[in-house]
Amino acid sequence: MTPATITPELHPVLRAFPGAVLALDRAGMVLESNGYLERALERGVAGQAFSAVLDTASRRKLDAILSREPRAGHDPAATPAWELMLAGRDTLQPRSFYPVWDEGGERLWLVECPRDPRFDALYEELAAVNSEQANTQRQLAKEKARLARALAELERELTENERLSRALQGQNEEMEAQNQELLAMTEELHAGQDQLLGANQQLERRTRELQIALNARNRFYAAMNHELRTPINAVMGYNDLLLAEVYGSLSEQQELAVERSQRAARHLRELVDDVLDLSRLELGKAELATQDVDAAALVDDMLETLRPVAAQAGAEMRRVEGEPVRVVTDPRRLRQIVLNLLSNALKYGEGAPVWARVARGADGGLVLEVTDGGPGIPQEDLGRIFDEFVQLAREDNTEAAGRDGTGLGLSIARRMAHALGGTLEAASTVGVGSTFRLTLPPAPPRGAERPNDHPRP
Ligand code: ADP
């Protein structure tokens, strides 16, 4: 293909053009120039390789353009300005060109587009817009990153919330279970309270009933005092008169009968006295007449009184050596207690020896023991024998001949011991014998009558 030349009409245009216009063949040789560039470079380029005036980077750019498949027609918009560094005589100069291929793609037109100061403002504006856009983009990127972070945080919070809510639900369930348990316990407690209330009411009712029974018994004792004592005293009075032969002399037989009647009446009066004593002790009305008492002498006196009874039982009875003890107490009451213990020992000892011993207690008071070598009392009965109307022999249905007690003796003795501020206890071994031990303080304490000392129901 013959190289195309510029149509002659174009020459004046090229000359008037305010920049360089060059035509290169495919090998990069300058076919034509308007001389503008040559003047600027201060050397000729026409008929030479254009690459000879370019720096290395610009040379590569030119090679790339020349080796490219040329596109048909002039398409400046699609072919951006292209800056080359041209080597002038002294300096390197940057120049912007538009590469334009001619028809057929054999010739490359390089058309310089010189810098026009009128566009500077536009360029600056463009640069400003560009930098603003870049800024905006940077900010957008930043914002995007921030949003991503916030989103991640939100997700993390959501997960944590979910976990918390699950934990809360677990706790709620646990609390619910505990509540149920508490409710059950409360119900149980209510039931227990009701039961307790019932028991209390029952107890109150029983206490009231007991009080009524006690009052009835005390009324009975009071009535007995009057109704029984008066006729017994009358019988004993008449017996005395008969024995004194106020109503005439008695035959021996008659005298014997009256004496027997008198003994029976005396026993009856003792029983009545016992019962009355008991009622007084229960009511706390036992009056004490205290004085200084020689305990050993008092015991000796009682032994002497019971000597005929011991002889009749065939039992040896004595006081074993102890120490002299003096206490302030009611001698009548003390005598009653000792008499009861000694006569029981004789009554239930089956002829075994009986001995009494007086000693000083740790508190300086009295310790008085009555021991017998009799059959003894079973362990399970030891506590009971102090209860009213308990007579073991009668319960066993064994013949209680000659042992006609009332079952009140020990009960009264213990109450008296208490009234005097002391104690009365029993110890026994079956087949060996029994020991009844009375202790009394050196002097009865104030209010020793113990008004609250009621019998067990
Ligand atoms: P009682 O009037 O029957 O003698 P007590 O209260 O004095 O009543 O005694 C109660 C019961 O204790 C007696 O019936 C008897 O069975 C038993 N008892 C008392 N003292 C002795 C003893 N020394 N040895 C064996 N049993 C005794």
Side-chain angles (χ1 to χ4, degrees):
M1 194 190 287
T2 47
T5 49
I6 297 173
T7 47
E9 310 88 82
L10 265 179
H11 275 284
V13 178
L14 283 179
R15 265 198 304 281
F17 190 74
V21 179
L22 295 160
L24 306 182
D25 66 6
R26 269 218 170 257
M29 298 295 287
V30 181
L31 299 174
E32 272 183 72
S33 163
N34 66 347
Y36 202 93
L37 190 72
E38 291 175 357
R39 275 194 302 283
L41 294 176
E42 294 182 4
R43 59 171 151 154
V45 286
Q48 295 182 19
F50 184 56
S51 58
V53 297
L54 297 178
D55 75 326
T56 321
S58 300
R59 209 176 289 138
R60 256 188 240 118
K61 272 189 218 166
L62 180 69
D63 286 346
I65 296 253
L66 291 170
S67 62
R68 214 164 47 202
E69 202 49 47
R71 268 183 294 155
H74 180 188
D75 186 8
T79 355
W82 168 57
E83 194 165 79
L84 298 175
M85 294 298 284
L86 299 164
R89 174 144 299 171
D90 302 319
T91 53
L92 274 173
Q93 306 169 5
R95 302 244 163 188
S96 293
F97 294 93
Y98 269 103
V100 182
W101 286 98
D102 67 354
E103 210 76 33
E106 282 308 311
R107 188 181 298 223
L108 174 70
W109 290 91
L110 291 180
V111 183
E112 193 184 6
C113 43
R115 186 82 177 260
D116 187 332
R118 284 174 305 173
F119 298 128
D120 279 359
L122 271 177
Y123 281 135
E124 274 166 27
E125 225 170 281
L126 202 72
V129 168
N130 268 348
S131 90
E132 209 171 295
Q133 207 179 358
N135 262 348
T136 313
Q137 256 164 6
R138 264 200 304 281
Q139 252 165 12
L140 264 173
K142 250 193 243 170
E143 196 64 13
K144 214 169 118 184
R146 202 181 60 75
L147 272 174
R149 275 201 306 277
L151 207 75
E153 175 73 3
L154 208 72
E155 248 170 54
R156 203 183 55 69
E157 270 176 22
L158 268 177
T159 322
E160 177 66 14
N161 269 355
E162 220 169 280
R163 194 186 64 74
L164 280 175
S165 121
R166 267 203 302 277
L168 221 72
Q169 205 175 333
Q171 275 176 7
N172 262 352
E173 278 164 16
E174 213 170 294
M175 244 157 80
E176 183 67 23
Q178 277 176 2
N179 256 353
Q180 293 293 341
E181 219 170 294
L182 224 74
L183 220 68
M185 268 162 70
T186 310
E187 271 169 24
E188 239 169 84
L189 218 75
H190 275 300
Q193 261 175 352
D194 287 349
Q195 231 170 318
L196 216 72
L197 218 69
N200 247 353
Q201 280 167 353
Q202 214 171 330
L203 208 74
E204 265 171 33
R205 210 172 43 245
R206 296 249 354 233
T207 309
R208 271 201 303 277
E209 281 167 8
L210 195 74
Q211 196 56 51
I212 290 168
L214 273 176
N215 289 344
R217 196 168 69 166
N218 288 335
R219 275 202 305 279
F220 167 71
Y221 287 157
M224 206 164 77
N225 181 23
H226 185 73
E227 303 300 326
L228 288 180
R229 254 182 152 213
T230 315
I232 292 168
N233 280 339
V235 168
M236 288 178 74
Y238 280 113
N239 281 343
D240 277 342
L241 288 175
L242 281 171
L243 288 172
E245 299 194 325
V246 173
Y247 301 111
S249 55
L250 300 173
S251 68
E252 207 175 315
Q253 214 180 353
Q254 284 172 328
E255 199 180 326
L256 223 67
V258 175
E259 271 173 0
R260 214 170 281 154
S261 157
Q262 188 68 325
R263 267 201 306 279
R266 202 172 291 127
H267 174 73
L268 203 58
R269 197 173 65 179
E270 269 168 24
L271 176 63
V272 171
D273 284 347
D274 274 1
V275 171
L276 290 174
D277 249 345
L278 196 66
S279 86
R280 272 200 213 98
L281 286 164
E282 264 178 26
L283 293 170
K285 282 184 187 162
E287 282 150 23
L288 302 181
T290 57
Q291 67 182 68
D292 185 56
V293 175
D294 179 345
L298 186 141
V299 170
D300 288 345
D301 198 21
M302 290 298 101
L303 291 175
E304 216 36 60
T305 306
L306 286 170
R307 192 65 62 204
V309 183
Q312 202 181 359
E316 183 208 338
M317 186 173 69
R318 66 190 176 91
R319 180 167 68 84
V320 295
E321 268 321 304
E323 46 189 331
V325 181
R326 301 192 76 88
V327 285
V328 175
T329 192
D330 185 333
R332 194 172 69 87
R333 301 288 183 191
L334 179 55
R335 233 177 260 127
Q336 229 173 316
I337 297 170
V338 176
L339 196 65
N340 178 266
L341 298 182
L342 286 173
S343 50
N344 272 358
L346 291 172
K347 220 183 332 177
Y348 304 110
E350 295 177 352
V354 173
W355 56 96
R357 188 169 155 271
V358 168
R360 192 182 302 279
D363 62 349
L366 168 69
V367 177
L368 194 161
E369 286 175 346
V370 174
T371 305
D372 66 67
I377 304 162
Q379 205 61 29
E380 65 268 23
D381 291 325
L382 267 183
R384 283 201 314 133
I385 55 171
F386 292 98
D387 291 347
E388 295 154 37
F389 302 108
V390 168
Q391 292 181 290
L392 302 179
R394 297 237 161 126
E395 286 173 18
D396 291 349
N397 256 346
T398 43
E399 190 41 56
R403 303 173 185 169
D404 49 346
T406 57
L408 288 175
L410 283 177
S411 177
I412 292 172
R414 180 175 260 185
R415 279 165 206 280
M416 279 180 182
H418 288 171
L420 296 172
T423 61
L424 178 60
E425 304 293 339
S428 186
T429 306
V430 173
V432 177
S434 315
T435 294
F436 286 78
R437 168 188 263 241
L438 168 76
T439 69
L440 289 184
R446 276 158 59 89
E449 285 90 338
R450 298 197 184 183
N452 287 332
D453 195 7
H454 287 303
R456 273 171 277 169

